[in-house]
Amino acid sequence: MDYSEFSTSIVSELPKEGLITCTSPSNIALIKYWGKRPVQLPENASISFTLDHCKTTTSLRYKKKEVLATTFDFELLFEGQPKPDFKPKIQAFFERIESYVPFLKHYTFTIETSNTFPHSSGIASSASGMSALAYCLMQLEKKITPDITDNDLLRKTSFLARLGSGSACRSIEGPVTVWGEHPDVTGSSDAFAVKFPDTVHQNFEHYQDTILLIDKGEKQVSSTVGHNLMHGHPFAHQRFDQATKNISTLKEILISGDLDAFIGIVESEALTLHAMMMTSMPYFILMKPHTLSVIQKIWEYRKITGSKVCFTLDAGANVHVLYPNQEKEKVLNFITNELVAYCQNGQYICDKIGFGAKIV
Ligand code: PMV
């Protein structure tokens, strides 16, 4: 693949020093990405809701070096404290993007980040964290190449975020984004995410996502290991084909606003993701008993009330409860009365569909 459109050269004077602050949210996949090829390219297209509340704020302080060095120089602070264990990830990210961001070694950076969601809540901070850092870097690039168009800037931000953490590329814009080349999605690419190109039905406006924190412990199997287990997985090809078909189906649902069809496809995708984990070799299970209890309760509630509430899952035990804004009061009552008992320390986060990264 030729990604030369993302290469730039330093043409103007580099700014001496400054500070850029931005926020970028997490996202929740409706059609899941599980399985990748080098470097960080998806085996199938995925589609997600960008979130609003769960986000990372990143400040990038940059100071031009007197003499150009051969190393990346950066300091990292997480919630105000030095965070040496995050450094290798950023170092690897800088190495990966260096050929597209040629000014990196010209600066000493201080990167300060914080999250709105509790640390070790089981909510992955890589999507919001990597997209926030990519967004800050591209704001600096804009100072160096001011002619870059808004569209090119967003595409390259998503392209860089992807190289940090795959699903991070879907956090730059909102409310719905697609990552991965797909014949039914105009402009889609494996290299970056695009905003869902059609008009999303008003049924999905302000769509709610209440995240139930079922288990906040460290996952036994990381996403990286999980993706790798799709190589040689007995159902890999069927899964990638299914996801490709599901994108076409979900596209029509997002346009038509058919919530029953939405529930069917979203819940099936969540369970299929976990079925892939259970049928990997070695096999593993990330759901906990309380994950299943919550799913049962949601199904019962839906049957009794006719509600359009449904669930999806990430690569973990937490449950994302998705529902239309019109049902907010009723579903929140149901959650507090019947589901919170299954959350670790009764913790849950009220979120909703959002619009992507922003400068602060
Ligand atoms: O971006 P990664 O490598 O953390 O993988 C994310 C995988 C899922 O969250 C399980 C699915 C998805 O599409 O976000």
Side-chain angles (χ1 to χ4, degrees), residues 27-36 40 44-48 89 124 126-127 162 164-170 179 219 222-224 227 239 273-274 277 286 313-316:
N27 67 73
I28 179 68
L30 305 170
I31 305 292
K32 310 290 183 182
Y33 143 66
W34 198 243
K36 62 178 167 182
Q40 208 84 301
N44 62 261
S46 56
I47 198 162
S48 55
K89 227 182 161 189
S126 55
R162 181 198 108 233
S165 170
S167 58
C169 73
R170 295 189 311 238
W179 170 37
K219 278 188 282 185
S222 70
S223 286
T224 311
H227 283 291
R239 163 59 196 154
L273 169 70
H274 285 260
M277 299 172 186
L286 296 183
L313 306 167
D314 242 337

Side-chain angles (χ1 to χ4, degrees), residues 80-95:
Q81 301 297 321
K83 194 76 183 166
D85 29 323
F86 282 7
K87 277 193 106 171
K89 227 182 161 189
I90 307 293
Q91 173 76 25
F93 177 52
F94 280 176
E95 283 165 14

Side-chain angles (χ1 to χ4, degrees), residues 57-72:
T57 302
T58 296
S59 296
L60 181 73
R61 194 174 289 283
Y62 54 96
K63 194 165 191 299
K64 191 162 169 266
K65 294 175 191 169
E66 298 292 333
V67 202
L68 176 62
T70 52
T71 51
F72 298 114

Side-chain angles (χ1 to χ4, degrees), residues 13-25:
E13 183 84 14
L14 291 176
K16 285 217 164 53
E17 58 186 314
L19 174 73
I20 294 163
T21 303
C22 78
T23 63
S24 189

